[in-house]
Amino acid sequence: MSIIKTLINMGPSVMMPIIFFILAIVFGVKIGKAFKAGMLVGIGFVGINLVIGLLLGSLGPAAQAMVKRFGLSLTVVDPGWPVGSTIGWGSPIVPIVVFGALLINLILLIFNLTKTVNIDIFNYWHFLLTGGVVYAVTNNVAIASAGSLIHFLVTLFIADRTAPRIQKSFNLKGVSFAHATSAIYVPIGIVVNWIIEKIPGLRDIDANPDKITKKFGIMGEPLTLGTMLGIVLGILAGWSITDILTLAIKVAAVMVLLPAMINVLVEGLITVRDAAEVSLKKKFPDREFYIGLDTALLVGDPAVLASGLLLIPASLLLAIILPGNKLLPFVDLASLVFLVPMVAPYCKNNVVRIFISGLVIMTLILYAGTDISPYYTKAAKIANVTLPSGVSSSTSMAGIVGGATTPLGWLIIKLSMLFS
């Protein structure tokens, strides 16, 4: 457990190169090539984190300015994913769940019940968070651990089923995404897309960025789209013209730089993936394996980024108009892009369809967060979290990103109340 915690504290930029270097050696890659592959993965993650940090650092103040400008004062506040991560990794179920998840993944691989080798250990906090809230409800380690592992199992199943479609859509061979937040929303995207196909007019709107670029040239380019979205968000925040233009340039930069950083990471990934494919095919000729990774690799897609940016003001509007909602999207408004990447291929990478799916997702999150906020707040106190500025320790909390407020996480938490 000490080794795992040390790796987690290093973050994915250090943890992933080590894991990929070891995997490369295991699969017969020469040390020099294995070192380069691991370092490229690490450099890619550094680049991705820098660009996402630029995105969050730019959009966070804009989103919070919107909250203040519109005078929103709901009684449950979103404290951000760092608080959710601390709850997950700070709960007493961590040793059981971490080793249990690794063991379950191994057993399922041995018996050919999964294709995903989930090495995205950093994001275990998503389903650990569900277990952490269950522990706050039940004060029972066994029940909380079981809830967390059920969340993990369902996510692994979705990762297997979605991998072929996602690989084709994002041009990423041999990977899957057992992301316990993003994966759970795939069925919503499927249902929303099916409904849209039945609606004349709406189904005919083709808002695929690639097709928009071909049709409108520079006006359809991701950098232009990012500029326009940045301007709109800056205006909604009530900023000065200087701040609006600065935000516009930064959002445009993210739209251009993020795919480039992902390409660096993929270059290292390809070396390990190809070696793994050759090695595993010799031992298991009739089987296929996927490397389970973070959905950070998917958020650079223009359709995903555009939809995530549009969801920021839309989520604030939903928080105001939904009857019975008490949850105020706050710290994680800039992270909404992580809710929709796995939905995109099932919505034909159509910004309109992804955005509508995002509205449904946010509606469910707001009601789930409102409902479980007392237990989420208790879980935060158990984990002794450090709250971000603007979030009072006396305020009720519920995160909009993380496993607890997904439909599955909410269901597991509600069922656990039968044992409290």
Side-chain angles (χ1 to χ4, degrees):
M1 202 61 235
S2 177
I3 293 171
I4 288 176
K5 283 188 175 181
T6 300
L7 285 170
I8 294 301
N9 290 334
M10 289 178 180
S13 300
V14 176
M15 182 174 69
M16 298 308 285
I18 294 171
I19 292 174
F20 272 88
F21 175 76
I22 294 171
L23 284 174
I25 296 297
V26 168
F27 292 126
V29 179
K30 292 181 179 179
I31 291 179
K33 196 173 181 181
F35 172 76
K36 182 179 179 181
M39 288 303 294
L40 282 172
V41 170
I43 292 166
F45 264 108
V46 169
I48 289 169
N49 287 336
L50 285 172
V51 178
I52 290 177
L54 173 64
L55 177 70
L56 301 185
S58 304
L59 291 179
Q64 292 176 24
M66 288 181 213
V67 172
K68 293 178 181 177
R69 188 183 184 201
F70 297 122
L72 303 183
S73 57
L74 300 167
T75 57
V76 180
V77 69
D78 152 47
W81 73 264
V83 169
S85 176
T86 304
I87 292 172
W89 288 112
S91 64
I93 66 172
V94 169
I96 298 171
V97 173
V98 170
F99 289 111
L102 292 171
L103 182 61
I104 288 170
N105 197 174
L106 179 61
I107 292 171
L108 292 177
L109 285 165
I110 291 171
F111 288 99
N112 195 19
L113 296 174
T114 186
K115 298 177 181 179
T116 297
V117 184
N118 186 18
I119 63 172
D120 187 24
I121 297 173
F122 182 79
N123 280 321
Y124 273 25
W125 75 265
H126 289 267
F127 56 85
L128 280 166
L129 173 59
T130 299
V133 178
V134 170
Y135 180 77
V137 172
T138 64
N139 201 34
N140 187 305
V141 170
I143 294 171
S145 300
S148 196
L149 290 172
I150 288 169
H151 199 145
F152 170 76
L153 273 169
V154 174
T155 303
L156 205 61
F157 172 79
I158 295 174
D160 280 346
R161 291 301 183 97
T162 57
R165 187 78 167 261
I166 288 176
Q167 288 174 22
K168 183 179 179 180
S169 179
F170 291 94
N171 194 27
L172 291 170
K173 185 182 176 185
V175 299
S176 65
F177 297 89
H179 194 275
T181 296
S182 303
I184 303 302
Y185 298 124
V186 169
I188 294 172
I190 293 171
V191 171
V192 169
N193 188 71
W194 180 83
I195 293 172
I196 289 174
E197 287 290 349
K198 308 295 181 183
I199 303 174
L202 186 58
R203 68 187 176 199
D204 300 321
I205 299 173
D206 193 354
N208 183 298
D210 290 336
K211 294 181 180 179
I212 292 173
T213 300
K214 289 178 182 177
K215 187 173 182 179
F216 295 102
I218 187 63
M219 293 307 295
E221 290 273 358
L223 63 90
T224 308
L225 180 62
T227 303
M228 292 189 294
L229 288 171
I231 290 171
V232 170
L233 293 172
I235 291 171
L236 290 173
W239 284 358
S240 68
I241 186 66
T242 301
D243 291 335
I244 290 171
L245 293 177
T246 301
L247 178 63
I249 295 296
K250 287 182 178 180
V251 175
V254 170
M255 298 287 279
V256 174
L257 293 175
L258 195 51
M261 295 301 100
I262 291 169
N263 287 338
V264 173
L265 187 151
V266 169
E267 185 181 345
L269 172 65
I270 287 172
T271 300
V272 179
R273 185 201 67 201
D274 290 348
E277 189 173 34
V278 171
S279 177
L280 292 170
K281 284 292 182 185
K282 290 179 181 178
K283 297 179 181 179
F284 308 100
D286 300 323
R287 291 190 59 184
E288 185 179 19
F289 294 90
Y290 307 136
I291 299 174
L293 295 174
D294 188 347
T295 49
L297 270 73
L298 306 180
V299 299
D301 182 85
V304 173
L305 267 176
S307 304
L309 294 175
L310 289 170
L311 280 173
I312 294 174
S315 297
L316 291 174
L317 180 61
L318 280 175
I320 298 168
I321 65 175
L322 287 176
N325 172 61
K326 297 179 182 178
L327 174 57
L328 172 65
F330 187 55
V331 179
D332 263 344
L333 272 169
S335 301
L336 295 181
V337 66
F338 285 95
L339 301 179
V340 294
M342 292 181 69
V343 165
Y346 296 91
C347 293
K348 299 183 177 181
N349 283 80
N350 184 313
V351 174
V352 172
R353 298 186 183 201
I354 299 169
F355 175 67
I356 293 172
S357 298
L359 294 178
V360 176
I361 289 168
M362 274 307 303
T363 299
L364 295 175
I365 288 172
L366 291 172
Y367 281 127
T370 297
D371 188 41
I372 67 166
S373 59
Y375 309 104
Y376 197 103
T377 307
K378 183 179 177 182
K381 291 177 179 177
I382 291 172
N384 294 315
V385 301
T386 301
L387 298 176
S389 60
V391 179
S392 168
S393 59
S394 62
T395 304
S396 293
M397 293 175 279
I400 58 176
V401 174
T405 48
T406 63
L408 177 62
W410 175 83
L411 180 61
I412 290 170
I413 293 164
K414 296 299 285 186
L415 290 174
S416 74
M417 294 178 184
L418 298 175
F419 302 94
S420 60

